[in-house]
Amino acid sequence: MLRRYLFREVLGPFLGWVGLLCVIFFVMAFLRSTDFLLGSAVTAADVVRFTLALLPQFLVQGIPVSLLLAILLGLGRLSEDREVVAMQALGISPFEFVRGPLMLGALLSLVLGVLANSLQPWGMRTLRRVAHDIIRRNLVSDVKPGVFHDELRDLTLYAQGVDGGGRWTNVFLYDGRDPENPLLAFGRRGTVENPDVLEQVAFVLEDGSLHQARQDTEEYSLVTFSRADFRADVGETFFRKNNFRSTRDEQTVFDALEARRAALSRGESPVDAEVTLHWRLGQVLMPLAFAVLGTPLALSRRRGARGWSFFFTVGAYLAFYLTWRTASQFAERGEFPVWLSGQLPNVLFFTIGLLLLWRVTRRGVA
């Protein structure tokens, strides 16, 4: 009965905070992506695909934070209303209060395990394709008649006319990617085609001429063509505008295990795959660590300290990720056990939570 009561006290605030954090994360992601989400080629369907692809990532990030905040607010209300004192007077140990949050934490760890090995990697890979597709279409639509387009480094495009289908007339293309041998191309017609390679575009010119002046030999070449393709690697543009590249978030535990096996078979170091593997496992166990840490803090909360719960939650979340990042960097250099790199924040939070819970048991709740 007590466990169900505590479970309900935490579940309500938890669901509310998950929804609110997802909205906040979406607003932050939208603001970070205005460079391509507000482009001239973006449609409503693109925004929907962008949101759905990011939703699993929002849930993975928001579930642990929401659980800790819900525990601090839900159980903290019991402490402020003196319900905890009354329960202690009936002989109920503070260790009993952690069982309800632990039940919810175990359930959420299971949910995170499913998300981290299915929807989150799928969403991040889908997001990368969606973002690249939007950026590529924006590059095409941003070409205006009579305006030099230099969005891509070392490539300058000019078209005298642009029709509604994205085809150009009287096109000028300067390719300076090879500083020693720059190219200058003219074409009566032109357009952009999408090759099979994700991070490339192909500028196609028709009925034109190609000019090249070699600086080393001072030779000048002139070639006429009926069709010429100029492939451009726009990966740098994607990297600059696509702020959601995360290799580890695109891998499941099984992907990390396969990468580890492949590295060992090639005689290479499997450290990167092992760090990813243990990070994934540590991410799944995060709700359990937050449940153990948050319960004694909520039981010992004083009146009027509700605002403190928000600051503590943000601080704990930052401490968790900073600890993991530091441990992972040392592990990648071989200066820290790889198996502990992903679990170190959980171990620390478990230890601190148990010590605080023991302290509350010894001293009671004032």
Side-chain angles (χ1 to χ4, degrees), residues 102-324:
L102 271 179
M103 289 172 54
L104 182 57
L107 178 61
L108 294 177
S109 290
L110 179 62
V111 172
L112 286 182
V114 173
L115 288 175
N117 291 284
S118 58
L119 292 180
Q120 186 195 18
W122 167 84
M124 296 305 293
R125 290 191 292 264
T126 301
L127 179 68
R128 184 161 59 92
R129 291 193 296 268
V130 170
H132 289 176
D133 180 54
I134 293 175
I135 293 171
R136 186 152 45 188
R137 283 190 281 116
N138 284 340
L139 287 175
V140 176
S141 63
D142 286 345
V143 176
K144 306 300 180 184
V147 178
F148 284 92
H149 183 275
D150 57 355
E151 183 72 17
L152 299 178
R153 177 174 292 183
D154 298 324
L155 282 173
T156 302
L157 181 71
Y158 175 88
Q160 185 179 23
V162 179
D163 63 20
R167 297 190 61 85
W168 313 317
T169 56
N170 297 329
V171 187
F172 159 93
L173 177 66
Y174 172 77
D175 185 351
R177 287 173 292 183
D178 183 2
E180 299 297 328
N181 303 291
L183 296 174
L184 188 62
F186 297 92
R188 291 184 179 276
R189 293 174 301 278
T191 187
V192 171
E193 294 181 356
N194 296 330
D196 296 334
V197 181
L198 178 63
E199 298 186 353
Q200 284 188 352
V201 294
F203 295 97
V204 179
L205 302 186
E206 299 175 354
D207 297 333
S209 58
L210 178 65
H211 306 258
Q212 183 180 45
R214 301 183 61 89
Q215 298 183 6
D216 52 351
T217 61
E218 296 184 356
E219 295 181 358
Y220 182 84
S221 302
L222 172 62
V223 178
T224 59
F225 56 82
S226 59
R227 175 188 170 97
D229 295 0
F230 298 86
R231 294 206 171 194
D233 184 1
V234 293
E236 182 179 354
T237 302
F238 291 158
F239 183 80
R240 186 172 67 250
K241 291 188 175 183
N242 182 4
N243 299 301
F244 304 100
R245 299 167 63 104
S246 178
T247 304
R248 285 196 170 103
D249 288 338
E250 294 181 8
Q251 296 183 11
T252 65
V253 170
F254 308 104
D255 293 333
L257 289 172
E258 178 61 25
R260 179 181 182 277
R261 186 199 61 78
L264 290 174
S265 65
R266 295 192 301 267
E268 301 175 355
S269 173
V271 171
D272 289 341
E274 291 177 350
V275 169
T276 300
L277 172 64
H278 291 291
W279 156 240
R280 278 302 196 186
L281 296 176
Q283 194 178 36
V284 170
L285 296 178
M286 194 188 307
L288 293 174
F290 278 9
V292 175
L293 176 66
T295 300
L297 292 171
L299 294 179
S300 58
R301 198 182 83 185
R302 299 179 181 273
R303 283 184 176 273
R306 181 171 299 183
W308 170 84
S309 302
F310 297 95
F311 291 104
F312 180 83
T313 301
V314 174
Y317 193 73
L318 291 176
F320 190 98
Y321 275 94
L322 288 176
T323 302
W324 168 73

Side-chain angles (χ1 to χ4, degrees), residues 20-39:
L20 179 60
L21 286 179
C22 285
V23 173
I24 294 175
F25 289 156
F26 172 76
V27 173
M28 294 172 60
F30 185 85
L31 293 177
R32 288 168 53 192
S33 312
T34 53
D35 282 348
F36 66 90
L37 281 181
L38 297 181

Side-chain angles (χ1 to χ4, degrees), residues 348-359:
L348 291 177
F349 280 30
F350 264 111
T351 303
I352 295 173
L354 291 175
L355 290 175
L356 292 175
L357 197 60
W358 174 80
R359 179 176 178 270

